[in-house]
Amino acid sequence: MKLSWLKVAGFLACLAPLERLGWKAYSGNLGANPIEAITHATGDWTLIFLLITLAVTPLRKLTKQLWMIRFRRMLGLFAFFYGLLHFLTYIWLDKFFDLREMLADVGKRRFIAAGFTAFVLLIPLAITSTSGWIRRLGGRRWRLLHRLIYISAIAGVIHYVWLVKADLRKPLQYAFVLLILLGCRLAVWLVPKVRQAAALSSGPAEFSHE
Amino acid sequence: MLIKKAADILASEITPKSLYMNRRAFLAGTAIAGAVAVAGVGVQEMASPSEVVQANAKIDGIRKSSFSTTEKITPYKDVTNYNNYYEFSTDKEGPAELAKNFKTRPWTVTIDGLVKKKQVLDVDTILKMAAPEERIYRHRCVEGWSIVVPWVGFSLSELIKRAEPLPKARYVEFTTLNDPQQMPGLRVPVLDWPYVEGLRMDEAMHPLALLCFGMYGEVLPNQDGAPLRIVVPWKYGFKSAKAIVRIRFTEEQPINTWNKAAPSEYGFYSNVNPNVDHPRWSQAKERRLGEFFKRPTLMFNGYDQVASLYSGMDLKKYF
Ligand code: HEM
């Protein structure tokens, strides 16, 4: 019961960036180049939600707050949602459905290709985010599939690094956060292996102490 | 209230700012009536909420120019709040606020290199060299957006002629002020400061190339390159250097800052050219600020009269 209220509150909080953007558009406060402002806001929030989603598991383990996991799906879906808005901004507002120009863009501009990769990878994740799909795929395969989010986030950061003209500060901040989040996973995966290896190599002596 | 004194008074042709500010104060005062006039600053803000009205001094005696386009002029608010001016900030909304207290006087410009008259000129001396003209130009950014701005200035050639370049001088190099105290963007090594731009001598001598110190009939706002900039309307915006402190004549082609930062993306010439794509953006179209649909980008930004400067040159190679 308590959790569902929390979920509603979380849901509304996740919508706040969109409300802000909508309000700015309505009140004519998007600045001199509204389409650019929308592209940037939606792009930023896609990446932020991807990173928040990736932060859930390490944070949950660190704080031992199990309930956090219940928010992960919602956060991931919001990443997809803002990514979809970002993508729609591009094909509708920016390129106005000019397919030829968009294809040329993907082919010629590596930053678009990277963004495209990041977005396309999120589609199967959004589709298979339901409990039904988890059952159908089985937990192991589902988890394997959903590791695509790592690649999506990496591609998203590369997209940002490649699109800025000279000021790399913001994209590198995102890259730094992503590095930590992926580093946590690497540590979780690596540490037991190293321990195991150590245990094996020091062999019987180690055992005899136990 | 708010009456600034002598330091703000610009060239003699220009209505002193103190008078101008006085008039505004008077209007605000009358409107609200004497009783609250004491709280002048607050009242003025209440009378015109949120709009940051910049009371730049009017420039007198501006002549019209046949180089002007009749296209719709971009609103002043957009041209003063959407600036690529990395010396202040890499955010386009940043310079308006960060350049607010930028000091444009006293200001000198060093003229040196291959000229007969090497000298350090006071900017107000330069402004008096010729009569100010209004030049309504299209301005195309390499990022794919464009604006139409009523610049005020006179042909750059007026200054160059007076400096008497030596026959050996083939290029002109422009350097922007490098003062990290006043320009916070310079504290970050985003580009190799100071900002340097350059033109070939015949480009610089072309009557379209403007030495600019005003826009919309007023003194140039700080975020748009005050007190002195150039405007080269057939080239991408970054070629039009702002807040110029040095003009040097050279035999060698200057290395402009963006070219140094990414040689495969920004050339020396950087003429507006819909047929040569930038690796990040197609240059075939542009979005005029304030319009939804993109419009086709024109060769030389529509300034065909400069085409002869490049006859015989492969503009795909010399992009
Ligand atoms: C998960 C996928 C994606 C993420 C995380 C993402 C993220 C971002 C970010 C952070 C920005 C910069 C925002 C800023 O400067 O404040 C951006 C800009 C942009 N993105 Fe994406 N993006 C994604 C997918 C795409 C796709 C699929 C496209 C188009 C096919 C696209 C096109 C653009 C464009 C055109 C810009 C603006 C570039 C400019 O300012 O010149 N993005 N994106």
Side-chain angles (χ1 to χ4, degrees):
Chain A
M1 191 61 211
K2 199 171 129 236
L3 193 63
S4 67
W5 277 113
L6 221 84
K7 267 200 157 167
V8 173
F11 187 85
L12 291 176
C14 291
L15 276 176
L18 180 64
E19 282 161 22
R20 208 171 96 100
L21 199 60
W23 173 248
K24 277 192 178 176
Y26 173 74
S27 58
N29 275 318
L30 283 175
N33 195 345
I35 295 174
E36 184 188 74
I38 295 170
T39 306
H40 285 182
T42 51
D44 280 338
W45 284 103
T46 308
L47 201 47
I48 292 170
F49 273 104
L50 274 177
L51 295 180
I52 297 177
T53 309
L54 282 172
V56 170
T57 298
L59 272 182
R60 188 201 48 167
K61 286 188 176 153
L62 225 61
T63 60
K64 306 207 161 58
Q65 301 286 317
L66 278 177
W67 55 269
M68 283 186 179
I69 198 74
R70 305 246 195 129
F71 283 85
R72 196 176 59 178
R73 169 160 54 193
M74 184 173 78
L75 291 165
L77 282 171
F78 266 106
F80 176 71
F81 172 66
Y82 282 103
L84 186 65
L85 290 180
H86 185 60
F87 188 50
L88 287 176
T89 309
Y90 172 79
I91 58 179
W92 182 18
L93 302 182
D94 193 26
K95 297 290 172 200
F96 205 71
F97 311 110
D98 187 336
L99 194 66
R100 222 176 36 143
E101 205 178 297
M102 285 189 282
L103 286 178
D105 241 10
V106 177
K108 268 198 267 181
R109 282 167 247 297
R110 54 182 193 168
F111 93 85
I112 293 285
F116 206 78
T117 308
F119 178 68
V120 167
L121 290 179
L122 289 179
I123 297 173
L125 306 197
I127 292 172
T128 60
S129 65
T130 61
S131 313
W133 268 104
I134 300 179
R135 239 178 293 118
R136 229 167 298 166
L137 286 171
R140 222 179 72 84
R141 264 191 292 169
W142 185 87
R143 251 176 284 136
L144 207 63
L145 175 69
H146 279 246
R147 289 209 182 124
L148 283 179
I149 191 179
Y150 304 154
I151 302 174
S152 175
I154 293 170
V157 166
I158 292 176
H159 168 64
Y160 199 178
V161 168
W162 278 346
L163 75 88
V164 295
K165 284 199 298 184
D167 190 354
L168 281 168
R169 281 175 294 171
K170 276 192 213 149
L172 289 183
Q173 281 162 15
Y174 284 108
F176 181 69
V177 173
L178 180 63
L179 209 68
I180 292 176
L181 294 174
L182 294 182
C184 288
R185 286 162 171 87
L186 194 69
V188 166
W189 179 76
L190 217 57
V191 166
K193 286 206 188 256
V194 171
R195 283 225 185 105
Q196 214 176 9
L200 277 180
S201 66
S202 53
E206 186 85 8
F207 276 115
S208 64
H209 282 291
E210 281 194 9
Chain B
M1 54 178 282
L2 269 188
I3 300 171
K4 294 211 183 135
K5 283 273 148 60
D8 281 309
I9 301 174
L10 302 157
S12 55
E13 305 98 315
I14 290 165
T15 312
K17 192 174 196 169
S18 58
L19 270 181
Y20 188 72
M21 293 301 281
N22 239 341
R23 188 177 59 84
R24 290 193 64 214
F26 176 72
L27 290 176
T30 336
I32 316 293
V36 275
V38 199
V41 178
V43 168
Q44 207 173 28
E45 262 168 27
M46 276 157 57
S48 56
S50 76
E51 281 286 274
V52 183
V53 181
Q54 262 166 335
N56 275 335
K58 285 258 173 275
I59 299 175
D60 287 334
I62 300 175
R63 302 180 184 181
K64 298 237 172 302
S65 160
S66 57
F67 292 135
S68 288
T69 168
T70 53
E71 285 163 84
K72 188 169 166 274
I73 291 173
T74 304
Y76 181 86
K77 186 167 107 283
D78 290 344
V79 178
T80 51
N81 285 286
Y82 190 76
N83 306 98
N84 269 331
Y85 200 164
Y86 281 20
E87 280 82 348
F88 289 102
S89 166
T90 52
D91 283 332
K92 293 192 178 62
E93 291 75 25
E97 177 64 27
L98 293 166
K100 229 171 38 187
N101 299 317
F102 184 62
K103 281 213 241 0
T104 58
R105 294 294 187 284
W107 190 280
T108 57
V109 180
T110 304
I111 316 272
D112 63 353
L114 304 171
V115 274
K116 229 183 246 161
K117 295 192 180 159
K118 283 190 192 151
Q119 55 193 316
V120 177
L121 286 172
D122 189 274
V123 68
D124 290 315
T125 312
I126 296 176
L127 302 200
K128 281 178 221 144
M129 283 178 176
E133 289 172 38
E134 179 168 80
R135 303 265 186 102
I136 308 172
Y137 281 164
R138 291 178 289 277
H139 187 76
R140 167 67 154 81
C141 178
V142 71
E143 295 167 356
W145 52 270
S146 63
I147 48 183
V148 176
V149 187
W151 304 108
V152 179
F154 46 76
S155 290
L156 175 60
S157 60
E158 296 286 351
L159 174 83
I160 295 178
K161 270 189 318 208
R162 285 170 177 79
E164 297 181 37
L166 302 174
K168 269 203 311 199
R170 294 188 51 224
Y171 296 92
V172 197
E173 180 191 83
F174 304 87
T175 307
T176 297
L177 180 69
N178 185 8
D179 179 2
Q181 289 260 296
Q182 288 203 77
M183 302 167 125
L186 293 171
R187 293 171 214 155
V188 191
V190 166
L191 292 170
D192 190 1
W193 308 116
Y195 194 85
V196 170
E197 257 310 335
L199 295 172
R200 216 171 53 193
M201 191 62 101
D202 56 343
E203 297 178 318
M205 290 301 288
H206 195 282
L208 271 176
L210 188 70
L211 189 67
C212 169
F213 44 87
M215 64 184 212
Y216 298 83
E218 297 176 356
V219 166
L220 202 59
N222 294 343
Q223 66 268 38
D224 290 280
L228 193 69
R229 67 173 298 169
I230 52 170
V231 178
V232 194
W234 69 93
K235 292 174 180 283
Y236 293 120
F238 68 88
K239 292 294 296 180
S240 296
K242 306 184 185 83
I244 293 167
V245 292
R246 184 174 183 201
I247 300 177
R248 192 166 72 99
F249 294 79
T250 65
E251 194 173 358
E252 311 267 283
Q253 182 173 298
I255 299 169
N256 49 320
T257 300
W258 278 105
N259 178 242
K260 204 178 201 177
S264 62
E265 299 179 34
Y266 311 94
F268 172 77
Y269 287 95
S270 291
N271 294 317
V272 175
N273 187 341
N275 309 315
V276 177
D277 275 355
H278 183 276
R280 287 161 212 254
W281 310 281
S282 159
Q283 297 295 28
K285 293 184 190 173
E286 68 199 54
R287 176 169 288 114
R288 181 68 49 84
L289 294 192
E291 293 178 2
F292 178 73
F293 290 106
K294 289 189 181 171
R295 54 170 70 213
T297 287
L298 306 173
M299 187 67 207
F300 299 121
N301 204 19
Y303 296 98
D304 295 329
Q305 61 263 55
V306 301
S308 59
L309 297 177
Y310 310 101
S311 56
M313 269 175 79
D314 179 1
L315 292 179
K316 283 204 158 69
K317 183 165 169 228
Y318 298 100
F319 59 86

